[in-house]
Amino acid sequence: MSGPTAPHDVMPGAEPFAFAGGDGSHGRTGVLLVHGFTGTPMSMRPWGEHLAAEGFAVRCPLLPGHGTHWQDCNASRHDQWTTAVETAFDELSAECDRVFVAGLSMGGTLATRLAEVRPDDVAGLLLVNPALLTQRLDAKLLPVIAKLTGSWAPIASDIKKPGVTELAYDKLPTRAMMQLRQLWAATRADLARVTTPTIVFHSAEDHVVEPVNSQVLLDGISSTDTTEVVLRDSYHVATLDNDAPAIFAGSVDWIRAHVTVDENPGTGSPAAETR
């Protein structure tokens, strides 16, 4: 039996990115961006560029198994994804006084998961079409499908705006999808641990993640400061769609409103308390 194959090269345009930012108002504020399942940082780059232009420090990692070949994704595990997000968060926190976490789809799941396990560290959550479950009928067959084949029909580029294509896999890695389902279950079980301010942007029409996901999240978290924004002119990958400018501008306003004047600059991120 042959050993595992070496990971493939990163696709051009799928690279992780970081912007220095540094607005100087009430200390330095960072925003960690997290892309979605089978996607890449490309889907988050315009948002990141907008945030950086507004003075925020920005970082967006490439999740393990992503941005190369779908077979690499099948060899990845959900704990590798959460570790990558936590590592990027710690790196950004070392440079900033506070860090907000923003995610698209599975990126929203991972952002929420981080706020569950480190509720005192995350300054706020900005979620775009976050995923926690699926109501698709064929999902019930996924355990069987994953044993029979490593790939299925793709879920990428659900975008309403003409001429825009998401840089993502052209197949759905079925074994990685099983990992995602485990991440969903763990995240749903701990939603009540989320106490950080949260804003959720979700599309009224989404062909990948049903809008009920956002309602499940908002109903389950313990945050007393929540905002829901319905996107009327975008599908799933809203960060590249018609409503992207509204997401970008709205996120800047929301973050600034949550950077309070009484915070002491230069203290760094608070240590997580034992819960």
Side-chain angles (χ1 to χ4, degrees):
M1 182 176 179
S2 60
T5 57
H8 298 76
D9 292 334
V10 173
M11 296 185 289
E15 302 87 0
F17 62 83
F19 302 124
D23 59 6
S25 60
H26 314 312
R28 193 153 182 243
T29 301
V31 184
L32 176 65
L33 300 174
V34 190
H35 68 78
F37 183 62
T38 77
T40 66
M42 173 266 183
S43 63
M44 309 300 277
R45 183 173 282 271
W47 194 1
E49 291 173 346
H50 184 93
L51 291 165
E54 293 290 336
F56 300 105
V58 178
R59 188 178 292 263
C60 183
L62 176 63
L63 296 175
H66 289 73
T68 54
H69 193 281
W70 63 265
Q71 291 171 328
D72 296 332
C73 201
N74 270 338
S76 63
R77 303 184 312 274
H78 64 84
D79 62 302
Q80 293 177 312
W81 305 334
T82 55
T83 297
V85 170
E86 192 158 4
T87 298
F89 180 84
D90 287 337
E91 290 171 350
L92 192 53
S93 294
E95 305 168 2
C96 298
D97 298 301
R98 67 198 65 81
V99 176
F100 292 79
V101 186
L104 166 67
S105 193
M106 182 182 80
T109 318
L110 289 164
T112 303
R113 188 62 179 154
L114 182 63
E116 290 174 350
V117 299
R118 296 176 62 173
D120 299 308
D121 290 357
V122 177
L125 288 176
L126 301 96
L127 311 175
V128 179
N129 293 320
L132 289 172
L133 53 87
T134 183
Q135 296 175 323
R136 290 170 56 116
L137 295 178
D138 57 358
K140 295 180 179 180
L141 299 175
L142 181 63
V144 176
I145 294 171
K147 290 179 180 179
L148 296 175
T149 178
S151 65
W152 203 246
I155 57 172
S157 289
D158 185 32
I159 300 171
K160 186 176 183 180
K161 188 175 183 179
V164 180
T165 302
E166 178 189 14
L167 180 62
Y169 290 145
D170 58 2
K171 293 183 178 181
L172 176 73
T174 56
R175 281 139 209 173
M177 187 68 207
M178 292 292 291
Q179 290 291 312
L180 176 55
R181 282 174 56 155
Q182 292 180 38
L183 175 65
W184 282 348
T187 306
R188 287 198 310 270
D190 288 339
L191 282 176
R193 296 180 65 183
V194 177
T195 56
T196 188
T198 301
I199 183 169
V200 178
F201 300 89
H202 69 89
S203 301
E205 185 176 356
D206 186 328
H207 307 104
V208 178
V209 172
E210 302 93 332
V212 70
N213 280 264
S214 293
Q215 199 58 53
V216 168
L217 185 140
L218 287 167
D219 289 345
I221 63 178
S222 298
S223 308
T224 56
D225 180 349
T226 61
T227 303
E228 179 181 9
V229 179
V230 180
L231 308 173
R232 302 291 182 185
D233 198 26
S234 297
Y235 296 155
H236 182 61
V237 192
T239 53
L240 298 177
D241 216 327
N242 294 312
D243 291 306
I247 295 172
F248 301 167
S251 62
V252 169
D253 291 343
W254 188 86
I255 291 170
R256 285 185 174 151
H258 287 81
V259 177
T260 57
V261 294
D262 61 350
E263 287 185 280
N264 182 23
T267 57
S269 297
E273 297 177 4
T274 302
R275 296 175 68 86

